[in-house]
Amino acid sequence: MTEQYVLGLQEIDETQVAVVGGKGAQLGGLSRIDGIRVPGGFCVTTDAFRRVMAEVPSVDELLDRLSRSDPDDRETIRTLSARIRRSIEETAVPDGLAAAITGALAELGEDAACAVRSSATAEDLPTASFAGQQDTYLNVVGSEAILRHVSRCWASLFTERAVIYRQRNGVDHRTVHMAVVVQRMVLPDASGILFTADPVTGNRKVATVDAGFGLGEALVSGLVNPDVYKVRDDEIVARTIAAKQRAVQALPAGGTREVAVDSQRQEQPALTDAQVVRLVRLGRRIEAHFGSPQDIEWCLADDGFQIVQSRPITTLFPVPESGDQENHVYVSVGHGQMMTDPMKPLGHSMWRLTAMVPMDEAGGRLFVDVTRRLAAPTSRAGLLDVLGKGDPLIRDALETVLDRDGFVPSLPDTGPGGPPAGGPPAPLETDPAVVTRLIERSETSVAALERDIRTKTGPALFDFLMEAFEEHKRVLSDPLSIQAIMAGMEATWWLNDKLLEWLGEKNAADTLTLSAPGNVTSEMGLALLDVADVIRPYPELVTFLQGVEDDGFLDELTKLPGGTEARDAIQAYLDRYGMRCVGEIDITRPRWGERPTTLVPVILDNVRNFEPGAAELRFEQGRRKAQEKEQDVLSRLRALPDGDLKADEAKRMIDRVRTFIGYREYPKYGIISRYFVYKRALLAEAERLVRAGVLPEAEDVFYLTFQEFHDAVRSNRVDERLVRQRKEAFRSYHALTPPRVLTSEGDALTGAYRREDVPAGALVGVPVSAGTVEGRARVVLDMADADLEAGDILVTAFTDPSWSPLFVGIAGLVTEVGGVMTHGAVIAREYGLPAVVGVEQATRLIRDGQRIRVHGTDGYVEILP
């Protein structure tokens, strides 16, 4: 195939990223949109880049060394990238290539002033902007200067920041190539940036225009503050006119200079209102063409707009597809389930199939549409109350949406008239036998699932699973189970409210629930202390475990003294809890039973930080503290007016909370137990597809929805391109922060704490476990990386039940996500750990190793000097 070194913009469209890079492909696409003017020009293709790179001396050896370097070794990267750039710039442009470029220049006009712009094959893409990674040169005049600047653009593929960005994002340097866009220079009266969605709020209906005088470099470089306009439905809804004291202008002989703006002109708008509205209409046309919100660079010359760049806005959180034009309000599922990471398609499709309410997916996360419940007064009050108790920030975000006139429709209450058929459910006795019965029911159901699934393969497995999902939902919605959960929660709320009112004591229930019986999650943390007790007496075992990297280590243990007992103890733990893992609501996440190495650092921490018998001692200390607190509370109540009555009521509620609060954790354990059974059967099916040559590897099915997996098993066909696209999309979702509340217009709301009782500079959150503790912050984003000492305070994004083995060894807890009744909060209370959750950006604002003070009673964290 003949190499093409130059292509005119009119010959290019957005599919040709591999040939002309992201910027070139976007400009080619732009030039094809009716009514959009793009400055004339051409692209020097990636064929030209490869041709030049073949001439660069020692480039292969330098690239090898660069690829092997650590992204954090700035000095090595700086030195190697500078050598590569210098080598490229010093390599003469081959004659045939130089002739192709000068020939294209002649068509623009020999002495035309041009912009020479880098266009890499990994920029301006829907999933990774790479914006600003390479270089642009403005007002370059003459063919010799343009050739020199084309070489500089090629070299800019290896700027230090571009190299580090690629290494950190796992992009191979050899897979990225550089094209160069050469365009006739526009000498504008004004220029700037247009976002077709509000880049701050995410609202897709509000466009933002930034405008200044002269070339756009003044805005991009931060030389001046721009005029800012917000436009909705062809109407300017907000404007800020800045004092624009400087501008960048082109020089006649080439290059640019910074100039002062005449004082009379500084506070004049760079655009008229009519021009702003006209520009936004052009932006909407561009957005419609590319199919997503755009970040557009524009110039105004002689009252005509020219578009010099358009790229996707990659920071916006996607909006669920509703299929209608109505307004919708969505609440994040991940913030309730303590898992705000993206889920793979099989994960989110199976959670939806087994959930009790309909859910929508966006950005790899799940959301519940609460619009109708917000629309009617009674259901709205109930929803805000329940969600507010769980996470005050969700309530605040919803109230922000409700304050917008007319966004949520107003509907009458449509609840059924009169009491439900059969009357209200009978009140639940405070009887431990209720919990025992519920657990037996769940265990029987899981055992039946394990027994019946063994014989199911192929399409029959998927039919069986659809029936199993109905049983799953039946167990989950058992009225008795829901009553038991609510009994524990309501008793907690009652105790906190009444003891605050009667005794002036905040969060008294936190101490009263210490070491509550029957909590499967807190038992899981203590049981790992017992495993450590088996290993601690054998130094060789400890040394061996410190070097473990392979998940097959259990069999190796038996070769060492004490190894058989250690293996049996770990295996027994995995038999009971091996279905758990971080992010466990995503069935595709590796379970402890599949990856037991995850537990090794926690076991070693327990060996180092605890004495033998710590589990029993910890539980007994908590039980005794709770008992002493009960006696203290009751005696103080009896001293009050009507004291005996108050004490009797409180005693009933203390008994009730200790009977039922432990069960709060069990339904999730039951769900995840079932998930592990489903997963093993589905992976066996995936392995059959691999053996049949349908899939390269079994885990590719994680990028299919449950229905697509079913179709693949029936047809023995998988769309490999779809799997590749899903993998790329999943990678991109990690860069997105899911909001607590999302609207159909794209507003991403996180909510705010409206509190004035917090010291200046403190980080505000939800108080979930009483007490104050000071210590070293350990910022841990992955449980496998935890390295904790006694007295450390764990700071992390979220804690689902799998984190509870870490709780036994820490002194306090701070998380970004959570509420009073989420898993981390319940376990923190049972272990007596002061805890504050829902602290926005805690893992960024608190540095690992800083000393902090956690105010678990009042709900804030102080960073200490």
Side-chain angles (χ1 to χ4, degrees):
M1 192 174 80
T2 310
E3 290 180 325
Q4 267 191 306
Y5 294 143
V6 171
L7 286 172
L9 285 181
Q10 296 292 338
E11 301 174 76
I12 298 164
D13 65 27
E14 55 268 35
T15 65
Q16 291 168 272
V17 173
V19 180
V20 294
K23 189 176 293 145
Q26 291 287 104
L27 283 166
L30 280 166
S31 65
R32 291 164 176 256
I33 305 172
D34 190 34
I36 302 299
R37 291 171 60 202
V38 175
F42 60 89
C43 279
V44 182
T45 67
T46 52
D47 282 347
F49 174 76
R50 279 188 286 267
R51 172 88 168 79
V52 167
M53 289 296 282
E55 308 271 330
V56 176
S58 308
V59 74
D60 282 330
E61 181 212 336
L62 290 168
L63 283 174
D64 283 341
R65 288 172 61 190
L66 196 60
S67 296
R68 289 195 299 271
S69 62
D70 185 326
D72 294 322
D73 184 353
R74 300 293 289 263
E75 192 53 45
T76 298
I77 288 174
R78 186 177 299 124
T79 304
L80 288 171
S81 57
R83 282 184 62 187
I84 294 171
R85 288 198 306 279
R86 192 164 57 249
S87 298
I88 293 170
E89 288 183 35
E90 290 171 357
T91 299
V93 179
D95 291 345
L97 173 49
I101 294 171
T102 53
L105 271 174
E107 292 184 30
L108 291 182
E110 277 295 336
D111 297 320
C114 292
V116 182
R117 313 170 69 195
S118 306
S119 179
T121 54
E123 70 174 353
D124 294 353
L125 307 178
T127 56
S129 164
F130 284 69
Q133 296 295 336
Q134 286 87 36
D135 293 345
T136 287
Y137 302 96
L138 299 177
N139 202 37
V140 184
V141 178
S143 57
E144 188 180 321
I146 283 171
L147 283 172
R148 190 167 64 250
H149 284 85
V150 167
S151 285
R152 284 186 179 175
C153 284
W154 288 330
S156 77
L157 190 64
F158 298 98
T159 61
E160 185 184 340
R161 68 181 184 273
V163 166
I164 290 170
Y165 188 93
R166 287 197 293 273
Q167 300 218 166
R168 289 204 167 133
N169 285 276
V171 178
D172 183 344
H173 300 301
R174 283 186 168 83
T175 64
V176 183
H177 302 114
M178 181 66 83
V180 182
V181 177
V182 180
Q183 283 178 286
R184 187 189 296 279
M185 188 72 192
V186 179
L187 303 177
D189 304 315
S191 56
I193 298 163
L194 159 64
F195 297 98
T196 63
D198 188 317
V200 177
T201 67
N203 192 302
R204 306 315 200 254
K205 294 200 171 182
V206 176
T208 302
V209 175
D210 290 3
F213 295 126
L215 292 167
E217 285 300 287
L219 302 190
V220 173
S221 64
L223 183 64
V224 297
N225 288 327
D227 297 340
V228 181
Y229 300 86
K230 292 192 182 294
V231 180
R232 182 183 177 115
D233 299 331
D234 281 353
E235 183 186 339
I236 295 173
V237 293
R239 67 159 63 71
T240 305
I241 305 303
K244 300 169 288 295
Q245 296 170 341
R246 315 291 293 169
V248 175
Q249 290 185 343
L251 292 167
T256 62
R257 71 171 177 183
E258 185 187 314
V259 297
V261 175
D262 185 273
S263 59
Q264 261 102 46
R265 199 164 164 243
Q266 287 178 6
E267 297 198 25
Q268 285 181 5
L271 297 175
T272 67
D273 285 3
Q275 286 170 334
V276 171
V277 171
R278 179 151 48 98
L279 174 61
V280 170
R281 285 179 185 161
L282 293 175
R284 293 289 179 218
R285 197 176 293 181
I286 294 166
E287 178 184 66
H289 175 83
F290 288 120
S292 68
Q294 297 287 302
D295 164 357
I296 297 165
E297 292 179 26
W298 56 269
C299 296
L300 177 70
D302 304 323
D303 197 36
F305 286 105
Q306 298 204 47
I307 306 300
V308 294
Q309 189 163 344
S310 184
R311 64 170 76 91
I313 308 175
T314 56
T315 55
L316 297 176
F317 200 87
V319 178
E321 292 179 14
S322 64
D324 60 38
Q325 298 302 307
E326 304 295 318
N327 291 345
H328 293 269
V329 182
Y330 303 96
V331 169
S332 164
V333 171
H335 285 81
Q337 289 294 335
M338 300 299 93
M339 214 300 267
T340 52
D341 289 348
M343 299 169 74
K344 294 189 179 91
L346 186 63
H348 61 66
S349 68
M350 285 195 66
W351 192 258
R352 290 167 78 176
L353 285 166
T354 53
M356 300 310 300
V357 293
M359 293 179 181
D360 297 281
E361 181 273 334
R365 278 77 166 192
L366 291 171
F367 295 85
V368 174
D369 187 341
V370 296
T371 320
R372 291 196 68 79
R373 290 172 70 187
L374 287 175
T378 304
S379 59
R380 180 192 311 137
L383 181 73
L384 290 174
D385 184 51
V386 169
L387 292 178
K389 278 190 170 122
D391 184 338
L393 291 176
I394 290 179
R395 178 175 186 138
D396 183 79
L398 288 173
E399 286 174 338
T400 302
V401 177
L402 287 166
D403 286 343
R404 295 178 186 168
D405 284 347
F407 186 83
V408 176
S410 200
L411 298 174
D413 283 319
T414 54
L428 194 61
E429 293 288 324
T430 302
D431 181 0
V434 172
V435 172
T436 306
R437 191 159 73 247
L438 284 166
I439 290 172
E440 284 172 357
R441 280 188 201 174
S442 177
E443 287 176 345
T444 302
S445 177
V446 172
L449 172 67
E450 286 182 310
R451 182 189 66 236
D452 297 343
I453 205 168
R454 285 182 196 137
T455 57
K456 306 296 187 292
T457 60
L461 169 66
F462 290 84
D463 294 338
F464 171 81
L465 283 172
M466 290 305 290
E467 291 175 21
F469 297 163
E470 292 309 307
E471 166 67 3
H472 179 122
K473 288 193 275 192
R474 188 194 65 74
V475 171
L476 207 55
S477 61
D478 181 341
L480 186 63
S481 177
I482 293 165
Q483 271 187 288
I485 294 168
M486 291 310 298
M489 290 164 69
E490 285 164 355
T492 304
W493 296 330
W494 188 97
L495 284 166
N496 281 334
D497 290 347
K498 291 296 184 185
L499 297 181
L500 178 61
E501 179 190 335
W502 293 338
L503 299 175
E505 187 169 339
K506 285 184 181 176
N507 303 336
D510 294 359
T511 309
L512 294 165
T513 53
L514 286 170
S515 299
N519 186 319
V520 69
T521 308
S522 58
E523 286 168 1
M524 179 171 74
L526 296 174
L528 208 57
L529 288 175
D530 291 335
V531 173
D533 285 354
V534 176
I535 291 163
R536 191 179 291 104
Y538 300 99
E540 283 181 74
L541 283 180
V542 175
T543 304
F544 171 78
L545 288 173
Q546 284 166 342
V548 157
E549 291 179 2
D550 186 339
D551 284 311
F553 74 92
L554 286 175
D555 292 334
E556 296 293 311
L557 281 176
T558 56
K559 299 172 185 173
L560 298 167
T564 301
E565 297 94 313
R567 184 201 59 189
D568 291 349
I570 295 171
Q571 191 57 60
Y573 186 88
L574 291 173
D575 290 345
R576 177 89 166 105
Y577 304 111
M579 77 291 288
R580 308 223 85 145
C581 67
V582 173
E584 60 193 9
I585 69 169
D586 182 352
I587 199 170
T588 72
R589 290 284 191 107
R591 312 280 135 179
W592 292 343
E594 297 168 318
R595 197 171 291 173
T597 46
T598 308
L599 292 173
V600 171
V602 192
I603 294 170
L604 290 170
D605 282 350
N606 289 348
V607 167
R608 186 175 68 246
N609 295 334
F610 291 93
E611 295 297 319
E616 191 176 344
L617 183 66
R618 285 286 298 270
F619 187 82
E620 187 50 36
Q621 283 173 340
R623 196 186 63 76
R624 199 163 51 248
K625 270 191 198 169
Q627 214 166 26
E628 288 165 3
K629 183 68 174 178
E630 178 181 328
Q631 297 310 318
D632 170 58
V633 163
L634 296 178
S635 66
R636 285 157 63 203
L637 286 174
R638 288 195 182 97
L640 298 175
D642 294 327
D644 287 343
L645 191 62
K646 288 180 172 122
D648 288 348
E649 279 189 88
K651 171 62 176 161
R652 272 202 306 279
M653 285 302 175
I654 292 168
D655 290 348
R656 195 163 179 79
V657 83
R658 291 193 68 80
T659 298
F660 291 115
I661 200 65
Y663 180 70
R664 160 76 181 83
E665 291 293 295
Y666 194 85
K668 183 80 169 278
Y669 175 79
I671 291 169
I672 302 306
S673 298
R674 300 178 78 87
Y675 259 44
F676 200 24
V677 180
Y678 304 152
K679 183 177 187 180
R680 283 181 295 204
L682 288 169
L683 276 177
E685 209 54 49
E687 294 289 358
R688 275 189 276 279
L689 291 178
V690 171
R691 288 196 297 274
V694 178
L695 282 176
E697 50 190 70
E699 292 193 356
D700 282 354
V701 298
F702 294 166
Y703 297 93
L704 303 176
T705 64
F706 181 81
Q707 187 55 54
E708 289 164 349
F709 190 178
H710 189 182
D711 293 343
V713 167
R714 275 206 310 263
S715 64
N716 261 356
R717 279 201 308 274
V718 169
D719 183 345
E720 287 183 31
R721 192 184 54 177
L722 176 68
V723 170
R724 277 197 308 276
Q725 286 172 347
R726 294 267 178 82
K727 286 181 179 178
E728 181 57 41
F730 179 72
R731 273 195 295 272
S732 75
Y733 293 154
H734 283 278
L736 300 172
T737 301
R740 283 175 166 79
V741 171
L742 185 64
T743 74
S744 48
E745 291 187 350
D747 288 296
L749 298 104
T750 55
Y753 294 107
R754 306 189 189 277
R755 289 176 55 186
E756 295 173 1
D757 59 340
V758 171
L763 308 180
V764 187
V766 182
V768 296
S769 185
T772 301
V773 68
E774 188 178 307
R776 179 179 68 159
R778 294 316 309 260
V779 179
V780 180
L781 299 179
D782 183 339
M783 184 176 150
D785 298 333
D787 180 15
L788 299 166
E789 300 285 351
D792 282 348
I793 296 168
L794 175 63
V795 180
T796 189
F798 58 79
T799 59
D800 59 11
S802 69
W803 286 75
S804 66
L806 296 184
F807 285 20
V808 296
I810 58 176
L813 173 70
V814 179
T815 70
E816 295 180 342
V817 175
V820 176
M821 280 299 166
T822 47
H823 300 279
V826 172
I827 306 310
R829 287 194 290 274
E830 289 215 8
Y831 285 170
L833 298 174
V836 180
V837 302
V839 179
E840 277 288 282
Q841 298 191 34
T843 59
R844 294 175 206 168
L845 298 172
I846 299 170
R847 290 196 312 276
D848 187 52
Q850 277 185 315
R851 287 196 71 75
I852 62 174
R853 188 179 295 127
V854 177
H855 295 263
T857 306
D858 294 310
Y860 63 91
V861 179
E862 290 180 285
I863 299 174
L864 303 175

